[in-house]
Amino acid sequence: MNNLSLYELGKLAQKGNNLAMLEIIDRKKKLIKKYSYGDEDRFQYIILKLIEGIKNYNF
């Protein structure tokens, strides 16, 4: 799945593909870690909001 764009991964994740969702999170992990400021609860909250955003986005 490394050769798919974020758009294509988002479409797959919205259809229920868990591997696509994990790939998106893995690609954005560095950015999420930066903005969680070392707080594990904030890190989990950002990931949760990312998942909710992907599921609700109109592709």
Side-chain angles (χ1 to χ4, degrees):
M1 285 200 171
N2 289 334
N3 57 352
L4 296 176
S5 69
L6 281 176
Y7 176 79
E8 292 167 334
L9 287 172
K11 287 181 81 169
L12 290 172
Q14 198 172 45
K15 292 179 183 176
N17 188 334
N18 291 330
L19 291 176
M21 187 68 76
L22 289 173
E23 179 68 27
I24 292 170
I25 292 170
D26 190 48
R27 287 187 186 186
K28 297 298 178 185
K29 189 169 280 198
K30 196 172 194 178
L31 185 68
I32 294 168
K33 191 172 268 191
K34 177 182 175 184
Y35 287 105
S36 66
Y37 304 110
D39 185 11
E40 183 66 29
D41 290 335
R42 190 176 292 164
F43 183 78
Q44 294 296 325
Y45 181 76
I46 293 171
I47 289 177
L48 176 67
K49 289 300 177 181
L50 176 64
I51 292 169
E52 287 176 4
I54 291 170
K55 288 186 178 187
N56 293 328
Y57 188 76
N58 292 327
F59 286 98

